[in-house]
Amino acid sequence: MLNKFWSLFLKTLWPALWPIIRETVVEITQDLFTRLRELISERFTKATSDQEKQAEQRAVDAEEKSREASSDNERIQAEAEAKAWREVAQQLKADNATLRQELEEAVRLSQVYARKRIDSEAERDKAQERIMSLKPPSEAGRLPTAENQD
């Protein structure tokens, strides 16, 4: 009886359920990608912001040092250091903006790839073959029957 029900389930109900299951898997996958992107973006933004602030602070410190310099030589040296740190801060901002864009693009392409793969005929056929090859739960040892209860 269970074998007949299982066969009926696989032939009639499964094709109706599969699109719902597939869409649910796609939504979950996209949610995971989105959350992963947010987490990476938050950590990346914090780390890069800290680097930029540190470089900017070193530039400010060097400018202050140049104002307090006791000789022209010390002042010139401190001004050069401040200029170098400002350039480092600007370069970090530019590099980090580029990296942020590359990260966004990589995540977006991953989402597109995952969706195409899930929707592909080959993947659908593989999933269908796997489903149709499943044994009824009683044969797979999942449900107790009168024969195997003792």
Side-chain angles (χ1 to χ4, degrees):
M1 176 71 171
L2 186 60
N3 287 344
K4 288 180 183 180
F5 174 75
W6 186 254
S7 178
L8 180 68
F9 171 78
L10 289 179
K11 290 179 183 169
T12 57
L13 292 176
W14 181 255
L17 292 175
W18 175 242
I20 297 166
I21 293 168
R22 189 184 75 229
E23 279 307 308
T24 302
V25 169
V26 167
E27 287 175 16
I28 290 169
T29 303
Q30 288 179 331
D31 287 348
L32 287 172
F33 269 117
T34 300
R35 184 64 186 136
L36 180 62
R37 181 183 50 80
E38 288 170 358
L39 287 171
I40 291 171
S41 183
E42 286 171 12
R43 288 191 176 151
F44 180 80
T45 299
K46 180 170 177 8
T48 58
S49 177
D50 289 349
Q51 288 176 339
E52 292 166 12
K53 285 178 186 174
Q54 189 177 40
E56 194 61 42
Q57 184 58 47
R58 287 186 175 179
V60 168
D61 292 347
E63 285 175 346
E64 189 175 315
K65 188 177 171 183
S66 76
R67 284 192 295 275
E68 296 172 356
S70 59
S71 68
D72 284 345
N73 199 18
E74 283 180 18
R75 183 183 49 76
I76 291 169
Q77 205 172 19
E79 286 173 355
E81 183 180 342
K83 182 180 177 188
W85 279 115
R86 290 245 185 265
E87 289 174 6
V88 167
Q90 288 174 349
Q91 189 62 49
L92 278 171
K93 286 178 187 177
D95 291 348
N96 292 339
T98 300
L99 287 172
R100 200 171 285 114
Q101 288 174 344
E102 289 174 0
L103 173 65
E104 291 290 327
E105 182 67 9
V107 169
R108 189 187 66 73
L109 288 175
S110 295
Q111 286 177 310
V112 169
Y113 172 76
R115 181 62 192 225
K116 282 183 179 178
R117 182 150 182 207
I118 288 169
D119 286 344
S120 77
E121 241 177 86
E123 290 298 320
R124 230 177 326 195
D125 292 345
K126 277 191 228 175
Q128 189 68 22
E129 286 175 25
R130 287 184 195 136
I131 296 302
M132 293 312 228
S133 70
L134 291 176
K135 294 179 181 178
S138 63
E139 288 182 24
R142 294 187 189 131
L143 292 178
T145 61
E147 296 105 33
N148 67 7
Q149 277 188 344
D150 294 327

